[in-house]
């Protein structure tokens, strides 16, 4: 009995150990020996090739790429906050039984890191989306609490899905890995998807063109629109939670500074997200006169499409700030 007993971390550890034990039995299949390869092939044909993606928005793009060539499972349910999510025993089993794990990286899936490492040790292939993009880092003057490592200049921003061209880079890197690791040829689908992402980028540019230069200023729930701002020519003014994760806290000094900046910069709106306190956002809105608008930055729309997701984000920002 250790002091960890009953705590979430302790529980996950126990479940993980159990999942590894299950994986070890089935895991002969992952061995490097030729017989192991044959067993792996049998397992794959019995249940199909399994790709596990951590969160819904990235999952939508992976599904578009893979089509019917494999089963794509998303771990963090759509609508749950990937910044704060932790896996159930069943999720860990799903992870351990996957052929390939696709994750965002840059600390987005903080609650899953140890499970990923264990899955990799058990032979699950791993693809980290952020390894294949130009990573955005927090610029000087962004963020209002220099003591918080998530806001220090140079901190790496995980919200890469807010830029369709970053997602295009992810697709371009994932397609050959699907071929190499799983023997799945998605090259034709990749070409098609990459060109559709280019078209989406052009379409978003058009939608956002109605916003005057003076109003291209973003205040959000947390610092989630950095990639979007860089791609479409907006400036990050601040956030209710001035951090790259929704899980940080906001100090009263930081809120006072944000309120003053919103007034000084004539910012029209505060875009709230998953994990934003509505009471705090409403209070800042009331004090500054900025409109409080709910924006889905971490959640897919009902049709499950990345293209609808980004179009909805751009349309709401354009309609609010034009
Ligand atoms: Zn976020």
């Amino acid at each position: 009995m250790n002091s960890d007993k009953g705590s979430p971390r302790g529980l996950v550890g126990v479940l993980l150990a159990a999942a590894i034990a299950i994986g070890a039995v089935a895991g002969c299949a992952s061995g490097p020996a030729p017989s192991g390869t044959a067993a792996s092939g049998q397992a794959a044909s019995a249940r199909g090739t399994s790709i596990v993606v951590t969160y819904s928005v990235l999952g939508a793009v992976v599904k578009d790429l893979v089509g019917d060539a494999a089963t794509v499972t998303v771990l963090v349910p759509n609508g749950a906050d990937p910044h704060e999510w932790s896996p159930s025993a069943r999720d860990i089993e799903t992870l351990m039984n996957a052929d390939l794990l696709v994750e965002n990286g840059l600390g987005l899936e903080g609650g899953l890191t140890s499970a990923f490492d264990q899955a990799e040790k058990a032979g699950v292939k791993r693809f980290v989306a952020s390894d294949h993009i130009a990573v955005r880092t927090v610029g000087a003057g962004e963020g209002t609490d220099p003591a918080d490592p998530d806001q220090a200049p140079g901190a790496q921003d995980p919200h890469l899905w807010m830029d369709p061209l970053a997602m295009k880079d992810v697709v371009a890197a994932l397609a050959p890995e699907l071929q190499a690791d799983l023997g799945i040829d998605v090259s034709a689908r990749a070409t098609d998807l990459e060109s559709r992402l280019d078209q989406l980028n052009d379409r978003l540019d058009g939608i956002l063109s109605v916003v005057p230069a003076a109003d291209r200023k973003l205040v959000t729930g947390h610092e989630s629109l950095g990639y979007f701002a860089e791609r479409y020519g907006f400036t990050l003014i601040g956030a209710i939670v001035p951090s790259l994760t929704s899980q940080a806290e906001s100090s009263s000094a930081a809120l006072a500074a944000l309120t003053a900046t919103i007034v000084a910069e004539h910012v029209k709106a505060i875009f709230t997200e998953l994990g934003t306190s509505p009471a705090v956002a409403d209070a800042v809105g009331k004090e500054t006169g900025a409109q409080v608008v709910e924006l889905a930055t971490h959640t897919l729309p009902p049709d499950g499409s990345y293209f609808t997701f980004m179009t909805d984000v751009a349309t709401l920002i354009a309609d609010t700030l034009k």
Side-chain angles (χ1 to χ4, degrees):
M1 302 270 159
N2 62 42
S3 57
D4 232 356
K5 185 176 179 290
S7 75
R9 186 181 295 274
L11 181 62
V12 168
V14 170
L15 297 175
L16 193 56
I20 292 165
I22 294 164
V25 175
C28 317
S30 319
S35 61
T37 308
S40 177
Q42 275 173 8
S45 62
R47 60 184 163 75
T49 305
S50 165
I51 300 171
V52 170
V53 188
T54 51
Y55 66 96
S56 60
V57 182
L58 181 58
V61 173
V62 173
K63 283 176 185 170
D64 279 347
L65 176 64
V66 169
D68 297 331
T71 305
V72 178
T73 308
V74 169
L75 275 187
V76 182
N78 189 37
D81 188 344
H83 291 290
E84 69 166 359
W85 191 79
S86 59
S88 69
R90 181 182 289 247
D91 296 323
I92 290 173
E93 198 183 330
T94 302
L95 194 57
M96 289 298 177
N97 287 324
D99 297 295
L100 173 69
L101 162 68
V102 179
E103 66 189 277
N104 189 82
L106 302 179
L108 177 74
E109 303 101 336
L112 284 159
T113 313
S114 65
F116 293 166
D117 291 343
Q118 296 297 343
E120 191 172 21
K121 275 185 200 148
V124 178
K125 301 282 187 188
R126 202 164 163 183
F127 176 89
V128 183
S130 55
D131 286 351
H132 305 280
I133 65 147
V135 174
R136 189 191 87 89
T137 54
V138 173
E142 260 179 61
T144 44
D145 181 1
D148 181 339
D150 263 346
Q151 316 176 36
Q156 296 183 309
D157 186 348
H159 299 90
L160 55 95
W161 63 92
M162 299 310 300
D163 175 5
L165 297 189
M167 294 307 254
K168 183 187 167 190
D169 291 342
V170 171
V171 167
L174 179 55
E177 187 148 334
L178 292 174
Q179 177 78 65
D181 289 347
L182 307 178
I184 296 173
D185 178 8
V186 291
S187 50
R189 296 187 70 93
T191 305
D192 175 61
L193 184 53
E194 286 172 48
S195 95
R196 286 168 58 213
L197 288 166
D198 272 330
Q199 289 161 20
L200 174 67
N201 177 54
D202 291 345
R203 206 157 62 237
L204 300 187
D205 245 338
I207 290 169
L208 293 162
S209 65
V210 297
V211 182
D215 292 320
R216 292 184 165 242
K217 295 169 181 170
L218 296 171
V219 172
T220 46
H222 63 284
E223 298 284 11
S224 63
L225 291 184
Y227 288 90
F228 181 94
E230 271 190 1
R231 177 62 61 199
Y232 299 110
F234 284 74
T235 303
L236 300 179
I237 296 295
I240 299 289
V241 175
S243 172
L244 291 169
T245 168
S246 59
Q247 297 311 296
E249 298 272 310
S250 191
S251 69
S252 54
L255 281 175
L258 176 66
T259 300
T261 308
I262 289 172
V263 172
E265 295 277 346
H266 305 288
V267 177
K268 280 186 175 175
I270 299 163
F271 294 101
T272 62
E273 315 166 82
L274 268 184
T276 310
S277 157
V280 174
D282 285 344
V284 175
K286 218 170 212 172
E287 203 166 327
T288 59
Q291 190 186 348
V292 177
V293 178
E294 212 177 308
L295 185 69
T297 50
H298 295 60
T299 311
L300 285 175
D303 73 357
S305 158
Y306 176 72
F307 294 84
T308 310
F309 165 76
M310 285 306 296
T311 305
D312 287 352
V313 166
T315 303
L316 187 53
I317 290 174
D319 287 348
T320 306
L321 300 182
K322 72 182 176 190

